[in-house]
């Protein structure tokens, strides 16, 4: 074979395959119980509601005529859907701040394109969402993990990392002077472009920030001039109590907010949204126009048709009840099967995931093929770290397996751990 004539861009070398997508190929083996994928349960997809909405949209009985639904459309998104998003959020949002995206993953891509230069510092939680790391990586940033605990970002550690800790009484002035030189090569302490956070039922850990931590983070970020990118695909999936107010509600001008219809309706629609301050919205819109002109007109109109008249108020509680039952089944199985194994895990209050730490000396990547031999799969935690990965961690999703499969799968995982 002759030498390839194609020369890849430098950014292409920064792109990596999704570890999760590769693991999902393994789970296609018959008999595998998978706790790996971050997929919502297909039982939650409102098929009948969508069938009826499609009929209304296509035959002009809904919000617009069928022909308009099949035509090119505004890059900003379908106006009634943008208005619904703005009205649904717990702070004052102008629909002109809402951009409909092709899944919230596109929102991350647009944020990366607009805010990151090669060598820019970007801060993320430890650990963080793998898809965000993938979206930001082609822009060639320096991605730094911020120390985090069971309550999210450690604000004191963040301040220290940015040279603004309590032992630096002149730190704000130091930072102002430092950021006059924004070249990270000549000034490694150049101001980060943003901190990316998932405060509600985080992927991968399932943890959430309480209100006090949110306020402390927002106050520190505002004082430092550090923008926040708040990703909230799981916030509606609470079990008993809704999460505290969004970070963006506490400082709308200092945050970009990402949301999704994937976890509350269906991921195959590929619809999400972002809410951005006026200072950055136009550039995000231009990046969207260059990427795909607009998200699918038909999908937007169908979703707008489905969610009118309070449908989500009736539908989402059924998702919460299902996921709560499955989460509790997994927690019960862990308590039973992992007894005496020195395995640690958290107990999330919502979402789709929980986080496990293996005994001293074990490695989740090495454990995975042994677990697959026992017909169970998970995602090793190392993939979710920007740096200093903990090899003992792994992510379990409890939403796509039924209660019996959860019990069987956790028992199989325990057997694999015992075998080392």
């Amino acid at each position: 074979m002759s030498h390839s004539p194609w020369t890849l861009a430098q950014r292409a070398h920064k792109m990596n395959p999704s570890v999760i997508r590769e693991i999902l190929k393994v789970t296609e083996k018959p008999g595998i119980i998978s706790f790996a994928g971050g997929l919502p349960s297909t039982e939650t997809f409102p098929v009948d509601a969508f069938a009826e909405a499609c009929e209304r949209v296509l035959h002009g009985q809904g919000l617009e005529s069928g022909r308009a639904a099949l035509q090119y459309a505004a890059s900003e998104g379908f106006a009634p859907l943008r208005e619904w998003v703005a009205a649904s959020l717990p702070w004052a949002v102008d629909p002109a701040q809402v951009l409909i995206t092709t899944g919230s993953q596109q929102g991350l891509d647009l944020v990366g394109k607009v805010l990151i230069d090669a060598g820019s510092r970007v801060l993320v939680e430890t650990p963080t969402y793998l898809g965000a790391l993938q979206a930001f990586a082609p822009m060639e940033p320096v991605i730094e993990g911020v120390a985090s605990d069971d309550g999210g970002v450690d604000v004191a550690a963040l301040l220290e990392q940015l040279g603004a800790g309590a032992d630096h009484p002149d730190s704000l002035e130091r930072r102002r002077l430092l950021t006059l030189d924004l070249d990270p090569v000549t000034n490694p302490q150049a101001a980060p472009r943003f901190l990316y956070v998932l405060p509600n039922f985080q992927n991968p850990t399932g943890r959430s920030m309480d209100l006090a931590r949110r306020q402390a983070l927002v106050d520190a970020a505002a004082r430092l001039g550090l923008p926040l990118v708040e990703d909230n695909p799981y916030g509606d999936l609470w079990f008993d109590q809704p999460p505290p107010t969004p970070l963006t509600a506490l400082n709308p001008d200092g945050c970009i907010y990402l949301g999704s219809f994937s976890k509350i309706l269906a991921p195959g629609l590929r619809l999400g949204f972002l809410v951005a301050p006026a200072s950055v919205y136009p550039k995000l819109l231009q990046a969207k126009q260059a990427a795909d002109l607009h998200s699918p007109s038909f999908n937007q109109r169908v979703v707008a048709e489905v969610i009118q008249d309070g449908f989500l108020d009736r539908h989402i509680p059924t998702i919460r009840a299902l996921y709560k039952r499955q989460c509790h089944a997994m927690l019960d199985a862990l308590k039973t099967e992992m007894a005496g194994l020195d395995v640690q895990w958290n107990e999330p209050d919502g979402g789709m995931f929980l986080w496990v730490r293996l005994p001293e000396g074990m490695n989740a990547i090495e454990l995975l093929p042994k677990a697959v031999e026992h017909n169970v799969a998970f995602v090793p935690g190392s993939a979710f770290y920007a740096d200093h990965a903990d090899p003992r961690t792994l992510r379990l999703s409890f939403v796509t397996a039924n209660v019996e499969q959860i019990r069987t799968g956790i028992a199989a995982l325990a057997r694999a751990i015992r075998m080392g």
Side-chain angles (χ1 to χ4, degrees), residues 195-218:
L195 166 61
Y196 170 72
V197 288
L198 297 96
N200 298 326
F201 319 123
Q202 191 228 32
N203 183 354
T205 65
R207 70 191 178 201
S208 293
M209 290 187 190
D210 63 22
L211 182 58
R213 182 74 65 96
R214 291 170 194 240
Q215 190 66 65
L217 176 59
V218 169

Side-chain angles (χ1 to χ4, degrees), residues 33-41 201-202 204-207 234 237 239 319-331 334 346-355 377 395-403 405-407 410:
I33 296 173
S34 178
F35 302 136
L39 313 175
S41 171
F201 319 123
Q202 191 228 32
T205 65
R207 70 191 178 201
Y234 310 104
L237 304 181
F239 297 155
I319 305 176
R320 294 178 187 139
L322 175 64
Y323 290 0
K324 179 180 179 180
R325 182 165 64 251
Q326 291 167 307
C327 180
H328 286 184
M330 183 169 283
L331 291 172
L334 287 166
N346 63 339
E347 297 189 7
D349 297 319
M352 298 167 53
F353 311 103
L354 58 80
W355 194 238
R395 188 192 77 177
L396 298 178
S397 172
F398 46 78
V399 303
T400 55
N402 63 38
V403 169
Q405 289 171 326
I406 287 171
R407 291 170 180 159
I410 295 298

Side-chain angles (χ1 to χ4, degrees), residues 132-145:
L133 298 177
Q134 287 186 291
F136 301 152
M139 301 303 108
E140 303 181 83
V142 177
I143 301 179
E144 301 175 19

Side-chain angles (χ1 to χ4, degrees), residues 100-108 259-260 262 269-273 295:
I100 302 298
T101 57
T102 306
S104 60
Q105 186 69 21
Q106 185 183 53
L108 294 171
S260 176
S262 293
L269 297 164
R270 305 311 305 130
L271 282 184
F273 60 88
S295 298

Side-chain angles (χ1 to χ4, degrees), residues 167-178:
D167 57 337
H168 294 291
D170 63 338
S171 57
L172 293 182
E173 179 62 14
R174 284 176 65 255
R175 184 179 180 282
R176 188 188 70 79
L177 294 173
L178 283 170

Side-chain angles (χ1 to χ4, degrees), residues 328-389:
H328 286 184
M330 183 169 283
L331 291 172
D332 290 343
L334 287 166
K335 291 172 187 174
T336 300
E337 302 294 341
M338 302 295 173
L341 290 179
D342 193 28
V343 174
Q344 302 169 348
W345 60 88
N346 63 339
E347 297 189 7
D349 297 319
M352 298 167 53
F353 311 103
L354 58 80
W355 194 238
V356 175
R357 195 158 189 253
L358 297 170
E360 184 74 37
M362 292 200 72
N363 184 304
I365 294 176
E366 295 172 358
L367 177 65
L368 179 59
K370 300 174 184 177
V372 170
E373 290 177 6
H374 287 78
N375 292 323
V376 64
F378 58 82
V379 181
S382 299
F384 299 97
Y385 289 82
D387 46 36
H388 305 104

Side-chain angles (χ1 to χ4, degrees), residues 49 306-320:
V306 166
I307 63 179
Q308 66 178 339
D309 301 326
F311 173 81
L312 290 179
D313 293 335
R314 302 185 297 274
H315 177 61
I316 294 177
T318 67
I319 305 176
R320 294 178 187 139

